[in-house]
């Protein structure tokens, strides 16, 4: 029985998430399309270092640099993965610590992936609770 594109895409993403969970982001870059569109939808100024629309592998590199500049990711666990039309959608538990304040936060994110021929064409990230991220960025009152 032939493997479907859906199975292949889901297996690829499972592998990339497993690698990312242990701090290995390099394999992701091997699967980016040259014209990839990478969207992180944070609207808060507190999330500006990694929010916005990034284009191409260089843009994705800037996204990860901004994220690493502001946060230490302590846990990234994919909780669910499924096909939704032409996209693969994941729900993820993310635990992180703000480098500016030392405050921890736990949020759920949704990632929407569009893959074609084993290449990531588009990625969109949504966070269920940006207010929690903002709070973790605010210094504690003396």
């Amino acid at each position: 029985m032939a493997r479907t594109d859906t199975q292949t895409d889901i297996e690829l993403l499972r592998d990339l998430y497993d690698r990312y969970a242990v701090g290995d982001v390099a394999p992701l870059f091997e699967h980016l399309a040259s014209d990839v569109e990478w969207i992180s939808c944070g609207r808060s100024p507190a999330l500006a270092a990694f929010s916005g629309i990034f284009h191409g592998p260089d843009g994705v590199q800037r996204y990860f640099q901004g994220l690493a500049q502001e946060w230490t990711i302590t846990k990234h666990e994919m909780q669910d993965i499924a096909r939704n039309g032409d996209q693969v959608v994941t729900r993820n538990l993310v635990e992180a610590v703000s480098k500016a304040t030392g405050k921890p936060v736990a949020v759920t994110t949704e990632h929407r992936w569009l893959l074609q021929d084993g290449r990531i064409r588009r990625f969109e990230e949504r966070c269920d609770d940006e207010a929690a991220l903002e709070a973790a960025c605010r210094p504690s009152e003396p």
Side-chain angles (χ1 to χ4, degrees), residues 34-91:
S34 61
D35 61 347
V36 64
E37 182 177 51
W38 193 274
I39 304 168
S40 181
C41 291
R43 290 171 290 285
S44 164
L47 311 178
F50 62 94
S51 294
I53 301 174
F54 303 85
H55 295 278
D58 289 342
V60 176
Q61 185 68 42
R62 283 192 306 280
Y63 163 84
F64 279 105
Q65 287 169 342
L67 182 62
Q69 171 186 322
E70 302 284 330
W71 296 93
T72 299
I73 306 296
T74 56
K75 180 178 188 175
H76 196 287
E77 179 182 291
M78 182 186 24
Q79 298 181 317
D80 186 48
I81 187 168
R83 175 68 72 177
N84 183 359
D86 62 350
Q87 298 179 339
V88 176
V89 180
T90 65
R91 301 277 301 161

Side-chain angles (χ1 to χ4, degrees), residues 2-22:
R3 292 160 47 103
T4 66
D5 287 342
T6 297
Q7 288 172 314
T8 303
D9 290 349
I10 287 174
E11 288 172 13
L12 170 63
L13 290 173
R14 280 189 193 279
D15 182 59
L16 293 177
Y17 277 103
D18 287 347
R19 290 170 178 245
Y20 183 73
V22 296

Side-chain angles (χ1 to χ4, degrees), residues 5 9 31 33 35 86 114-122:
D5 287 342
D9 290 349
H31 295 281
D35 61 347
D86 62 350
L114 178 62
L115 290 90
Q116 183 179 32
D117 299 324
R119 294 278 174 210
I120 300 165
R121 308 282 309 173
R122 188 170 193 274

